[in-house]
Amino acid sequence: MCGIVGVVGGRDATPIIFDALRRLEYRGYDSAGIATLVDGRIERRRAAGKLDNLAAVLARAPLAGVTGIGHTRWATHGAPTENNAHPHGTPRVSVVHNGIIENFETLRRELEQAGHVFVTETDSETVAQLVDFHLARGLSPREAAFATLRRLEGAYALAMIFAGHDNLLIGARHGAPLVVGYGENEMFLGSDSLALAPLTRRIAYLDDGDWVMVTPDGAEFFDASGERVERAVRTTALIAGSVGKDGYRHFMDKELHEHPVVIGQTLQRLIDPATRRVMLPDLPFDLAGLPRAAITACGSAFYAGLIGRYWLEGMAGLPVDIDVASELRYRDPPLTPGGLGLLISQSGETADTLAALRGMRARGQHILSVLNVEQSTMARESDVVLGTVAGPEISVASTKAFTAQLSVLACLTIAIGRARGTLTAAQEQDLVAELLDLPSRANEVFDQAPAIREMAAVVAEARDVLYLGRGSSFPVAMEGALKLKEVSYIHAEAYAAGEMKHGPISLIDSTVPIVATLPSGRLFEKTLSNLQEARARGGRLLVFTDTEGEARLRGLAEIVVALPTVSEFTAPVIQTIPVQMLAYEVALLKGTDVDQPRNLAKSVTVE
Ligand code: F6R
C-alpha cells in the first residue's frame, strides 16, 4: 500500500529518494516524507497530500545527507496529516513502514509505561519507539532492530536509519514486499524493483521474515530467527523508460490505449500462430487430471476470474469454485486435493490474494497464478506463473491488466479443454484464430470514442447508475460499475440482467441511467427483454452492443455503441474496453484525480 525507499552511498540521497517516491506514488499518496543522516543526526521533511507538496517543502528547506529513507503513505491508522506522515522516529532512529502492526496497542501501552511519549496516531510509530527503547538500553542498531522485529505482529516492510551510523540502512519484511538494489558503491531498499528501475536492475528479494543490514558495500541477510542467510541477486527485466505518459493526459488513458498491444503480447507468449495451438509452459501437474478449480482474486482481477469461470466450466467442463480472496481466506472451504488453485493479480502482492494462495497450498491445490508483476511475492510462491504481458500499470484503476488476464484465462481454458477432451484440435484452432483476431478488433473499439463521450455526458449527470449484463457480460458490467465508482465517485451497481425484476427494477426512473453490455449471441434476446422492461418503466438505456445487435437496439436505447462483432467467447474482452473508457470519460467531465482517485492505492498489501 505505502511505498518505501532507502539509499545508502556516496551521492546526495534526497533527489534519489524523491525520484523513487515518484515511481512509488501509485502505492499511496496521502502524505510523504524523507529522513536523512546529516553529520550523524537525523533530519526529516514531511508533507500531507501529494508528493508535489513534499517537493515544495524540500525547496524551502533542502535536505542534505547521503543516507536516507522515504515513504509515500496510504493511511491505515491515523488521518493523512503531516504529523502522521512517515518517517517516524526519535533522535536515535527513523523508520518508514508499509503494512499494519496488529499488536501496536499492546506495544504502545508497554512503551508508554516505560516513559516513551508517542506523538502520532499511527501504528508505525510503535516500531520506531520500540527500536529507540532498545537503543537506549545500549543495544546496537542490529541488536535493537532484531529485538524489535521479534515483538511485531501483523504485516510490515520496514526501512530504518540510525543516528551516528552514516552508512547503514536496516530493512525487514513480513507479509509486505521489500527488495534490495545493488548499485556501484551505493545500495538501495525499495518496495518493488520498479521504484529502483533507473538506479539498478540488480535486485535481491527478501523472503518473508527476512531482515537485512545494508551498507554501501553490500547487504547481509538474516532470517526470522536471526541466522545469516544468502539471497540471490537477480537482474530484472524492468526498464524505467516504460513508465511515462507518452503524451497522454493521464496514465489511465495511455493504458486504455494499450489494450490491443497488451492482448497481442500476452497471447504471443501462449500461442503458436503457425499451428494455432496453445502452448503452455511445462506444468508440474496434469491438466487432464484436475478434479476442479478454485479461483480467487480481488477487485477487477476477481471479475476477470468470473469470466474465466464461464469459460472453464462452459468450454473445458471443469467445475469451478470462485470467491473474492478476502472472503475465501477465512471461509475454509473444503477443496478437493489435487485441484487447481488459480490466483489472479496484477501486482502479485495483494495481501488477501497472497493469504488465499497460501491457504490453497495448505489444502493441497496446485498453485497457478496469473500475474503481471512476475517478480512478485505471489510469483515466487506459485507452482506455475502465467504472465500477463501488460507492462507497468501505473493508473490506480486497473485497465489493460484486465484484458491481459482474460487473454491468459482464455488460453488456459483451451489448454484444459484439450487435455480433458472437451475441445477437439479443430475447435482449438478456431478458438485460437478468434483470439489472434482480438488485437485488431480491440483497436476498432477506439473508433467509438465519440459515442462513448456522448454516453459519458449522460452518466456524469447521474447520482446512481445501474450496469446490466448476462452470462460472461455480467462480470463486464461489474467491471464497468467498479471503474465508474473508482474514478468518478458516482454510485454504480452491477446486476445480472435476469435479476432486475427480483428487486432492483424498483430503482428505475429517468434519473438512473442503465448501462447494458449486450453482445449478439445466445443470450441477446433474453437480455433485450430485460432492457425492454426497464425502458417501459422510464429507464434511460445506454447500450454497448456489436454491429450485429445494433439495429435491434435503435429506437429502444437512447445511445447505442456498436462494437466490432466477435464470437461469444471473446466478446467479454472487447466489451470491457468501452466500459472502462466510459468511466474515464465521466471522470474527465467530473474533474476528478483520474490516475490517483481519493482513498485508493494501487497495491493493497494490507488486509
Ligand atoms: C480496480 C482495481 C482493483 C484491483 C484489486 C486487485 O480498478 O485496480 O480492484 O484490481 O485491488 O489488485 P491486484 O490485481 O494487484 O491483486
Side-chain angles (χ1 to χ4, degrees), residues 527-557:
T527 316
L528 191 63
S529 306
N530 301 133
L531 295 189
Q532 261 146 355
E533 289 154 11
R535 183 75 201 97
R537 286 156 182 85
R540 295 178 73 176
L541 300 180
L542 314 175
V543 183
F544 292 107
T545 182
D546 50 30
T547 44
E548 213 172 293
E550 185 183 9
R552 303 285 309 281
L553 284 150
R554 293 258 171 248
L556 177 68

Side-chain angles (χ1 to χ4, degrees), residues 254-269 372 387-393 399-408 438-439 442 573:
K254 174 192 166 211
E255 289 162 8
L256 280 166
H257 281 85
E258 286 174 342
H259 274 298
V261 172
V262 157
I263 296 167
Q265 285 174 177
T266 304
L267 293 173
Q268 212 171 27
R269 272 222 198 151
N372 195 38
T388 51
V389 196
E393 194 181 63
T399 53
K400 59 178 178 170
F402 190 90
T403 53
Q405 287 159 354
L406 292 184
S407 303
V408 172
L438 273 177
V573 184

Side-chain angles (χ1 to χ4, degrees), residues 159-181:
M160 313 177 193
I161 54 173
F162 301 85
H165 296 267
D166 274 352
N167 284 319
L168 176 66
L169 284 176
I170 294 185
R173 77 156 284 184
H174 184 264
L178 191 70
V179 306
V180 176

Side-chain angles (χ1 to χ4, degrees), residues 266-417:
T266 304
L267 293 173
Q268 212 171 27
R269 272 222 198 151
L270 299 171
I271 284 175
D272 176 1
T275 57
R276 286 200 270 141
R277 292 206 55 193
V278 170
M279 311 295 284
L280 295 189
D282 286 341
L283 303 175
F285 51 87
D286 177 19
L287 290 179
L290 293 172
R292 51 193 306 130
I295 304 181
T296 196
C298 298
S300 286
F302 172 69
Y303 303 145
L306 285 174
I307 294 170
R309 174 175 65 176
Y310 283 96
W311 288 339
L312 284 167
E313 290 187 341
M315 295 163 61
L318 185 68
V320 174
D321 305 302
I322 180 162
D323 206 346
V324 288
S326 53
E327 286 299 313
L328 181 84
R329 64 183 290 191
Y330 295 114
R331 202 159 50 80
D332 287 340
L335 299 176
T336 314
L340 181 68
L342 179 49
L343 293 303
I344 307 166
S345 174
Q346 188 283 127
S347 62
E349 301 292 350
T350 302
D352 285 321
T353 314
L354 181 59
L357 180 158
R358 291 172 180 160
M360 283 190 182
R361 179 177 294 293
R363 272 174 271 145
Q365 304 299 291
H366 301 295
I367 304 296
L368 187 155
S369 298
V370 178
L371 304 174
N372 195 38
V373 182
E374 292 181 50
Q375 307 82 5
S376 56
T377 309
M378 276 182 226
R380 280 174 288 124
E381 296 196 17
S382 301
D383 298 323
V384 186
V385 173
L386 295 182
T388 51
V389 196
E393 194 181 63
I394 305 297
S395 160
V396 165
S398 186
T399 53
K400 59 178 178 170
F402 190 90
T403 53
Q405 287 159 354
L406 292 184
S407 303
V408 172
L409 292 170
C411 290
L412 182 64
T413 301
I414 294 171
I416 296 178

Side-chain angles (χ1 to χ4, degrees), residues 583-597:
Y584 174 71
E585 293 295 340
V586 176
L588 286 187
L589 293 173
K590 300 291 275 188
T592 58
D593 191 344
V594 177
D595 284 334
Q596 296 182 332

